[in-house]
Amino acid sequence: MQSVTPSDEPSSGEEQERRKVGLVLSGGGAKGVAHIGVIKVLEEAGIPIDYIAGTSMGAIIGGLYSIGWSTQELDSLVRNQDWMALLSDKIPRRDKLLSEKEITDMYILSVPLSLDKKFSIPSGVLAGQSVLNLLNEMTLGYHDDDLDFDSLPIPFACVAYDMVKGEEQVYRHGNLPLAIRASMSIPGAFAPVIRDSMVLVDGGIYNNFPVDVARDMGADIIIGVDLAAGPHDMEGLTSMMGLIDQITTFLGRDEYTKNLQDVDLYLKPDIKPYNSGSFNPEAVDSLLVRGERCARQNWDKIVALQDSIYTGNTYMIRKERILASDTDSVRIGNIEFVGLTRNEETFLRPSFGIDEQTVITKGHLNDAITKLRGSGAFSYVTYTLESRPPYTLTVSVDEKQEAMINVGFRFDTEEMASILLNTTLTLRGLQGPRLGLTVRLNENPYIKLDFRSSNILMGRLSLSYMYKSNNYRLYRNGRGINNITFGQNRVELFFSPANPIVFNPKVGVSYEHFNYNSFLFASDDDRIAVKPEGFVNYYLTGNLETLNDHYFPTRGVSVYAKAALHTDNGYGYNKGTPFASVSYSFRWALSATDRLTFIPSLYGRTLIGNEVAYSYYNYIGGEVAGRYMEQQIPFVGINHMETANRSVLTVNLEARMRLFARHYISLKGAYGIQNENFFKMFTESRNLFGIGLKYAYNSPIGPISILFDVSNIDKSLGVYFSLGKTF
């Protein structure tokens, strides 16, 4: 809102006669967007607002309005915000390191483990750093610790509660976004704000309707907007938000009752059936309308209030905010890091992406902060812009605890129940080496130890050992030919970039030993002679990943390629020349509409050489690539491991429709060609066909799906059910 012209301003006498108006905005979570509708009508009526006091969501709306955000801008903000991503602290997949993407794609639970404290339970389900970073962006110029809130365009105060002393904490000075963040720290949901020996949580647990705070600021007349739902019955206590509302109501009942009696104009929008967590677009739209409707229903009272405020011209004085809304540029002076050692800061600065004494956009700043969060090195990342332009950019981080425990679970009709356990230990902070232990428990279990070095020339050297026990059945043309049991040992040494986000090349060498214990052949014609063998392999791989989701992508690509040279003595195989393998895959997600996505994909592998070892033969089948053997190529309609020729190429297409919310249905088709010779594969191929229909639900623990499929190899209808993430 623009400042008034001199002709609009009252005389000094009129200013002295006018009574001061305080606007009180209660907490209420999502219900708080109704405040915006109320303020619109107050502006329309010409009601001056001299002070604002708010709690929780009321603090967010009130704090932004007090520094000059217009009701139109606030309306646009709440309508266009992705509230679920914001409140959940979700890091966009595009900003995660590839290693962090793999953790997200395989595990359903990650728990920090401190070597000092033994075990760590977070003080809140959510850290709230995304909310704080958004508040930082929206309050540029108001980050100083010595800021007096009385100096804002409209004097402002917000309420938090100190759990250490058990008393109310009213913020009228300090870092504005941090004060607002403290006011909305719902116990158990958001981590508290630790500040000046205080543990600060949502002020709503004590004073959710801070009329007394506005009085203390100097208000003569109080307009109060109350979003309290009142005590819930049993039906209203079936959700976490309903329980939080109930706790807030009971804990702050005495203060609420007292403040309720001191309001000059009491406005209570009808917010049923919505609760604190109703951040979906339909609810936000409705709550905005309901706030405005409530104020208009009280229009006569609002107009009557004018007479008790002042006489003469209607006016409203607002100062302009320090940083105009249409300015996207931010002038950066010095950059400081809090929470890092000097060596870690020296290491981090070149990759941070922002230089000192430069002008950047808000988007550039947000991208840099988000990429720090996506690195996986920190549990908390936020920033402040202090003083005046050029701002001092202070980036505050908390390094992740030394160790993490990751847990994955899966159930399917192939391997039944599977559990994946992983622990990772980071030594010497951000740049230090890492130790990892991974154990998979199922019909084909394995254990893997890995070590990753400190940074060497912007890369890392990794050493790993894995032992895997294999037991699976092989088929040829849909007929079972043998059951194989063997142990597999692998030692691997490779070099890769330090922190890849999109593309990860690797060069390495491995030693693999296959100890075949037994073969159970279906007939004498299927009998083959295979002995235990060891191999020295040299390889080069490349992995490019831009999919926005691993299981239900709507855009992006995934490309993988591997070339390997296989020997049994380091330079040849079976007293002759070595043989080679080339593997490749491609997956592309294309959205035709917001519900329909096409996913074409391609998989292939070719073996090159006069003699190829049994351990590296090609296999095809199943829905998951590399399910039993690394070289296994998935194919819809083949629900087992089918032997394949030396050269195999499959082309697949999935048409996936989102029915509603998290429910999907897909039509999948596959076509494959194969031959012992790569070039003859395109002219003299043994063709493969497969088709399937799949239903999937995107659950918090991973996809729950059922697939019906058939192929020209396995001509009977196959049914495949799975629950959980793949690993």
Side-chain angles (χ1 to χ4, degrees):
M1 182 173 296
Q2 301 298 319
S3 300
V4 297
T5 62
S7 59
D8 294 321
E9 294 181 6
S11 67
S12 59
E14 289 176 322
E15 180 67 23
Q16 290 174 358
E17 292 174 4
R18 186 171 75 77
R19 302 172 71 191
K20 302 298 183 181
V21 179
L23 177 63
V24 175
L25 305 177
S26 80
K31 299 176 293 184
V33 301
H35 290 314
I36 301 170
V38 171
I39 298 173
K40 280 183 183 180
V41 178
L42 294 178
E43 286 183 344
E44 188 178 324
I47 299 295
I49 299 175
D50 300 292
Y51 307 102
I52 298 177
T55 299
S56 197
M57 191 65 170
I60 296 177
I61 302 300
L64 295 178
Y65 189 73
S66 72
I67 63 172
W69 278 73
S70 69
T71 51
Q72 290 79 13
E73 290 169 321
L74 291 172
D75 183 298
S76 178
L77 171 70
V78 298
R79 288 183 192 271
N80 299 323
Q81 189 61 238
D82 185 348
W83 288 101
M84 293 302 103
L86 178 71
L87 297 175
S88 65
D89 276 336
K90 184 177 180 180
I91 302 172
R93 183 179 173 85
R94 67 177 181 273
D95 295 316
K96 291 183 178 181
L97 298 182
L98 284 175
S99 58
E100 290 297 306
K101 294 177 185 178
E102 291 175 358
I103 291 174
T104 302
D105 296 341
M106 292 192 296
Y107 299 101
I108 61 174
L109 178 66
S110 295
V111 180
L113 184 66
S114 171
L115 297 183
D116 296 328
K117 300 177 182 178
K118 294 184 179 180
F119 205 69
S120 174
I121 299 177
S123 52
V125 176
L126 306 170
Q129 55 185 318
S130 294
V131 173
L132 181 55
N133 286 333
L134 178 63
L135 290 171
N136 285 333
E137 178 187 347
M138 296 187 296
T139 58
L140 293 179
Y142 300 95
H143 295 180
D144 289 352
D145 288 336
D146 60 354
L147 175 68
D148 183 357
F149 293 178
D150 285 345
S151 68
L152 302 181
I154 298 177
F156 170 73
C158 62
V159 179
Y161 189 79
D162 178 16
M163 297 296 289
V164 175
K165 296 181 179 179
E167 61 185 24
E168 179 184 37
Q169 178 68 25
V170 178
Y171 272 99
R172 295 185 62 181
H173 68 273
N175 180 308
L176 179 61
L178 192 61
I180 295 173
R181 167 67 179 82
S183 182
M184 55 153 288
S185 301
I186 302 172
F190 285 101
V193 171
I194 311 298
R195 189 80 168 175
D196 300 329
S197 301
M198 294 183 290
V199 177
L200 300 166
V201 299
D202 194 313
I205 70 171
Y206 177 78
N207 192 357
N208 198 45
F209 192 49
V211 174
D212 57 329
V213 174
R215 289 289 187 197
D216 292 342
M217 295 173 74
D220 301 306
I221 295 175
I222 298 293
I223 301 174
V225 186
D226 182 15
L227 300 175
H232 292 286
D233 56 19
M234 290 186 64
E235 291 184 2
L237 299 177
T238 57
S239 68
M240 174 64 74
M241 291 297 102
L243 290 171
I244 290 173
D245 279 344
Q246 192 85 324
I247 292 171
T248 301
T249 298
F250 288 140
L251 290 178
R253 176 178 290 173
D254 293 341
E255 196 72 13
Y256 174 75
T257 301
K258 181 183 70 174
N259 283 329
L260 202 60
Q261 297 171 356
D262 196 24
V263 180
D264 296 283
L265 177 59
Y266 179 72
L267 301 174
K268 188 173 179 61
D270 175 19
I271 45 83
K272 292 182 179 180
Y274 302 115
N275 59 38
S276 300
S278 300
F279 281 106
N280 60 79
E282 295 78 11
V284 169
D285 289 345
S286 178
L287 288 164
L288 285 165
V289 171
R290 290 178 183 218
E292 184 173 346
R293 181 189 303 154
C294 172
R296 295 199 182 282
Q297 289 171 346
N298 288 272
W299 179 262
D300 291 342
K301 294 180 181 179
I302 293 173
V303 173
L305 195 64
Q306 291 181 355
D307 296 334
S308 63
I309 297 173
Y310 55 79
T311 58
N313 295 330
T314 298
Y315 65 89
M316 194 171 179
I317 298 178
R318 291 287 300 281
K319 301 174 186 177
E320 293 186 31
R321 64 186 124 181
I322 293 175
L323 190 65
S325 62
D326 56 355
T327 301
D328 189 48
S329 298
V330 181
R331 191 148 53 100
I332 301 297
N334 296 327
I335 300 177
E336 299 176 358
F337 289 89
V338 177
L340 296 176
T341 65
R342 181 175 298 179
N343 288 338
E344 290 172 339
E345 182 177 335
T346 301
F347 166 74
L348 185 61
R349 277 184 179 270
S351 60
F352 180 51
I354 298 177
D355 297 323
E356 294 185 332
Q357 310 302 327
T358 188
V359 177
I360 62 173
T361 64
K362 294 178 185 176
H364 187 181
L365 175 59
N366 289 332
D367 287 346
I369 297 299
T370 303
K371 286 179 180 178
L372 274 185
R373 293 180 58 202
S375 69
F378 309 105
S379 60
Y380 194 86
V381 181
T382 188
Y383 72 94
T384 58
L385 292 170
E386 300 173 5
S387 191
R388 297 289 180 266
Y391 295 105
T392 297
L393 172 60
T394 302
V395 181
S396 300
V397 303
D398 287 335
E399 288 193 50
K400 275 188 175 178
Q401 295 190 13
E402 297 96 328
M404 295 290 294
I405 295 178
N406 302 303
V407 180
F409 172 80
R410 177 179 178 82
F411 176 87
D412 62 54
T413 49
E414 277 191 40
E415 293 185 305
M416 305 305 287
S418 300
I419 297 174
L420 188 67
L421 303 173
N422 166 267
T423 182
T424 302
L425 175 64
T426 302
L427 306 176
R428 299 200 309 274
L430 181 64
Q431 303 177 71
R434 293 185 181 181
L435 294 171
L437 171 64
T438 305
V439 177
R440 186 177 74 178
L441 304 173
N442 64 2
E443 289 185 354
N444 295 275
Y446 68 73
I447 182 170
K448 182 179 180 181
L449 294 166
D450 58 83
F451 170 81
R452 192 173 71 170
S453 74
S454 302
N455 277 26
I456 303 173
L457 299 176
M458 298 305 293
R460 290 182 185 266
L461 195 63
S462 298
L463 176 66
S464 69
Y465 166 76
M466 184 185 76
Y467 174 77
K468 182 183 177 186
S469 176
N470 299 275
N471 182 1
Y472 54 81
R473 187 167 176 79
L474 279 182
Y475 290 74
R476 182 184 298 128
N477 297 324
R479 182 180 66 85
I481 56 174
N482 58 54
N483 195 87
I484 307 175
T485 302
F486 66 94
Q488 179 182 354
N489 290 273
R490 177 192 294 167
V491 179
E492 193 170 6
L493 179 69
F494 64 88
F495 183 80
S496 62
N499 298 304
I501 295 178
V502 174
F503 180 61
N504 185 27
K506 291 181 183 179
V507 58
V509 59
S510 68
Y511 174 77
E512 285 187 291
H513 185 269
F514 299 87
N515 185 23
Y516 294 100
N517 298 319
S518 66
F519 285 77
L520 183 60
F521 297 102
S523 68
D524 290 339
D525 293 337
D526 300 315
R527 190 175 298 277
I528 56 174
V530 180
K531 63 180 181 179
E533 273 188 296
F535 300 89
V536 177
N537 305 312
Y538 309 95
Y539 65 86
L540 175 66
T541 70
N543 182 24
L544 185 146
E545 168 73 78
T546 66
L547 294 174
N548 64 335
D549 188 271
H550 182 69
Y551 296 101
F552 300 93
T554 57
R555 62 180 181 275
V557 298
S558 176
V559 181
Y560 175 81
K562 178 178 182 179
L565 188 67
H566 306 278
T567 75
D568 59 3
N569 56 12
Y571 55 88
Y573 176 64
N574 203 17
K575 299 181 181 180
T577 58
F579 64 95
S581 63
V582 178
S583 308
Y584 47 91
S585 66
F586 172 81
R587 189 175 177 220
W588 187 13
L590 298 160
S591 288
T593 69
D594 62 344
R595 291 182 177 273
L596 178 61
T597 302
F598 292 99
I599 308 173
S601 60
L602 177 149
Y603 294 87
R605 188 169 188 263
T606 294
L607 295 168
I608 305 168
N610 294 326
E611 186 178 2
V612 175
Y614 177 82
S615 302
Y616 295 97
Y617 280 8
N618 288 334
Y619 302 101
I620 191 169
E623 195 181 21
V624 181
R627 183 60 176 271
Y628 296 106
M629 296 292 287
E630 180 184 338
Q631 64 265 36
Q632 181 181 349
I633 294 174
F635 197 88
V636 64
I638 301 179
N639 296 304
H640 52 255
M641 224 167 90
E642 179 86 12
T643 59
N645 294 147
R646 285 194 180 191
S647 289
V648 183
L649 174 65
T650 69
V651 180
N652 314 271
L653 179 62
E654 176 182 359
R656 190 188 67 228
M657 174 71 74
R658 180 171 61 85
L659 301 176
F660 52 90
R662 293 170 169 263
H663 299 264
Y664 300 84
I665 190 167
S666 300
L667 180 63
K668 307 179 73 172
Y671 172 72
I673 54 177
Q674 58 177 330
N675 196 287
E676 291 299 310
N677 183 290
F678 175 80
F679 298 102
K680 292 183 179 181
M681 177 173 64
F682 299 96
T683 56
E684 303 176 15
S685 170
R686 184 163 63 94
N687 297 330
L688 306 170
F689 304 93
I691 191 170
L693 183 65
K694 179 179 180 180
Y695 161 79
Y697 172 68
N698 187 10
S699 80
I701 61 172
I704 301 174
S705 65
I706 184 167
L707 171 68
F708 300 93
D709 59 6
V710 67
S711 71
N712 64 332
I713 296 296
D714 193 351
K715 298 179 175 60
S716 61
L717 180 67
V719 180
Y720 175 72
F721 172 81
S722 66
L723 181 155
K725 300 181 178 182
T726 57
F727 48 80

